[in-house]
Amino acid sequence: MTDPNNCIFCMIVDGRAPSFQVSDDELTLAFMDIFPVAPGHSLVITKQHYSNIFEVPPNTLAAVARATRRLALAIRSELRPEGLGLFQLNGVAAGQTVFHYHQHLIPRSSGEDLKLHTRVRGDDDELRATSLRLAEKLATEP
Ligand code: AMP
Ligand code: ZN
């Protein structure tokens, strides 16, 4: 299990590492994936360190679902993707690479191969611009 002291997502939550933040509430945080497989690829994470679905308490999982739905609506209205994939991986065998619970939101286009990871880092200016757009949209929603 990842030690929370060395966990990149814990570092983002407590400000030891930067992120292009989109939303923040009592139990969750959302920010842009810095290796996006599509423009708008974002993550909703638990603020507390849980490695996977098997560790997250149900009320926290519900908070992730609420934050995910709000962000999905903001992505739909701001970025107008043809589709939106929600993915969540548990364990190395499933392809999980960061062992801190998170939900992927990945805009999808028809005909595109399904790919969950890339080694190509996103452009900082683009990630920042998208995060600001989505954060501003969310700020106008109840
Ligand atoms: P998973 O493979 O489901 O564990 O996904 C982990 C995701 O976290 C990958 O899509 C990575 O690109 C992403 N990621 C890793 N480090 C960072 C970071 N510092 N900021 C934002 N996203 C990250
Ligand atoms: Zn963590």
Side-chain angles (χ1 to χ4, degrees), residues 22-25 66-78 80 132-142:
V22 176
S23 74
D24 180 9
D25 64 29
R66 276 193 295 274
T68 300
R69 184 170 185 277
R70 286 188 81 229
L71 180 50
L73 290 167
I75 289 173
R76 185 177 66 169
S77 78
E78 286 298 309
R80 305 240 164 245
L132 288 172
R133 238 174 113 182
L134 295 173
E136 277 165 19
K137 176 70 187 167
L138 285 171
T140 67
E141 300 295 318

Side-chain angles (χ1 to χ4, degrees), residues 9 14 17 19 34 40 45 55 59 61-62 67 69 81 105 114 117 120-121 127 135 142:
F9 287 179
D14 66 22
S19 73
I34 52 166
I45 75 167
E55 293 184 2
N59 70 315
L61 208 50
R69 184 170 185 277
L105 292 87
L114 180 59
H117 296 109
V120 184
R121 202 187 182 293
L127 293 168

